Amino acid sequence: MRPSSVNRSPLRRAATAASVLALVAVAGCGSGSDNPTVKASGGAQVDSAIAAKVPAALRTKGTLVAGTDGAYAPNEFIDTDGRSIIGMDVDLITAVAAVMGLKVQMKKTSFDAIIPGLKGGRYDLGVSSFTDNKEREKVVDFVTYYKSGTAFFVNASGGPDIKTLDDLCGHTVGVQKATTQEADAKAQSAKCTTGSKPKVDVRSFPDQNAANLALKSKRVEVSMADSPIAAYQVKQSKGVFKLSGDLYGTAPYGFAIPKNNGLAQPMLDALKKLMADGTYLNILKKWGVEAGAITDPVINGAQS
């Protein structure tokens, strides 16, 4: 997910729709707002040497405020209590913070408001399945932690056979606003019309949940989302949706941080520690998304 300026990305370019489904695990869902401070996931323990690298102002503050859109299961979404934000991203950033001697408070907001919120000092982190790309790196720093790709999904009964972006010509597509998927669908529409084919009718929704509902009610014919999210929605639909075609566009996810504020290096060190002790992979397995695990996290690892 996450747009031309905000994209969530890919897994394996050659992976098939069937392999995407293997990424998913069942988790609760609901609707609500902010989450109170959450506890460290997986028993992560503070590392005093890493904690000492955290900027003094953040050490004094003690709790990092993280902006998230909270509607991208299984990465970040609202629990059945209607207010707590849970998911792979939440567990992982909570463990990273614990190694640095900090806590995390998740704050639900619109996806396109997170990076401006980082620049304006409203948030200390952006934790919302951001794809690390060159455009975003101009305004924020990233610590990479995962890899993903875009997948197509359609109604299992009567849905079109969509294998690639080229197959979208003449179809109605539901996407989340400000995501890479939105940008890709609009770019494909231009290619379609240039090639004397029908345009792509791109319909943008405020979050992925709304796009899913539009697909279910057949107001759109196909939806696009990051591979773990698409697979999760297909599994949760209990046969209403199915994956279609192959993944495309492999790229890293990154935790977003205000530019040059000194937090990126201790976060990277904390993440590497969690990878070494097994906590990182255990968190991904908990949510069924271990196929996107990485072993080489970096600061600002955009490929394009």
Side-chain angles (χ1 to χ4, degrees):
M1 163 186 181
R2 272 60 186 173
S4 54
S5 52
V6 205
N7 136 2
R8 298 187 180 205
S9 268
L11 238 190
R12 300 175 293 246
R13 182 178 298 274
T16 64
S19 70
V20 184
L21 199 53
L23 297 177
V24 170
V26 178
C29 208
S31 63
S33 57
D34 292 348
N35 174 21
T37 302
V38 288
K39 296 180 180 179
S41 174
Q45 300 295 315
V46 62
D47 182 305
S48 57
I50 294 175
K53 298 179 183 179
V54 174
L58 293 176
R59 288 203 307 269
T60 299
K61 184 178 179 182
T63 297
L64 300 174
V65 179
T68 183
D69 84 346
Y72 218 54
N75 292 1
E76 53 269 341
F77 62 109
I78 306 298
D79 199 0
T80 51
D81 66 2
R83 61 186 297 270
S84 298
I85 303 171
I86 61 174
M88 178 271 285
D89 276 352
V90 181
D91 282 355
L92 186 55
I93 194 59
T94 304
V96 167
V99 174
M100 298 188 295
L102 302 171
K103 296 180 181 180
V104 176
Q105 185 177 36
M106 306 299 296
K107 289 286 187 178
K108 189 178 185 305
T109 187
S110 63
F111 183 76
D112 55 4
I114 297 173
I115 287 181
L118 287 170
K119 294 174 64 179
R122 184 177 180 186
Y123 309 118
D124 302 303
L125 300 171
V127 181
S128 207
S129 302
F130 279 102
T131 295
D132 177 2
N133 62 36
K134 293 294 186 183
E135 181 181 353
R136 292 194 190 96
E137 284 182 5
K138 295 176 182 178
V139 291
V140 296
D141 289 325
F142 287 100
V143 173
T144 63
Y145 63 93
Y146 192 76
K147 61 182 178 180
S148 169
T150 290
F152 304 103
F153 58 111
V154 300
N155 279 295
S157 176
D161 184 17
I162 304 296
K163 291 185 172 65
T164 69
L165 285 167
D166 289 340
D167 296 326
L168 295 178
C169 299
H171 293 291
T172 302
V173 181
V175 292
Q176 181 173 346
K177 180 182 178 182
T179 62
T180 295
Q181 285 80 24
E182 180 187 54
D184 289 349
K186 289 181 176 180
Q188 181 59 43
S189 184
K191 291 180 181 179
C192 294
T193 55
T194 298
S196 301
K197 295 180 180 180
K199 72 174 185 177
V200 182
D201 183 359
V202 183
R203 300 187 184 181
S204 302
F205 297 90
D207 58 37
Q208 189 60 43
N209 289 340
N212 298 338
L213 288 173
L215 181 62
K216 184 176 181 179
S217 63
K218 299 186 178 180
R219 287 178 287 138
V220 301
E221 298 173 276
V222 57
S223 188
M224 302 162 61
D226 287 0
S227 48
I229 282 69
Y232 180 86
Q233 296 305 328
V234 168
K235 184 162 186 173
Q236 293 297 95
S237 77
K238 301 185 184 304
V240 174
F241 299 153
K242 67 178 180 180
L243 292 164
S244 184
D246 296 343
L247 306 183
Y248 75 88
T250 302
Y253 280 175
F255 295 124
I257 310 162
K259 199 76 179 171
N260 299 319
N261 79 338
L263 188 59
Q265 188 60 54
M267 280 190 64
L268 179 63
D269 293 345
L271 182 58
K272 288 181 176 179
K273 181 179 178 68
L274 295 174
M275 289 179 171
D277 69 17
T279 302
Y280 167 80
L281 191 56
N282 286 340
I283 289 172
L284 269 57
K285 287 180 177 179
K286 171 184 173 181
W287 295 101
V289 297
E290 63 271 24
I294 65 171
T295 58
D296 53 349
V298 296
I299 297 170
N300 294 335
Q303 300 167 0
S304 61

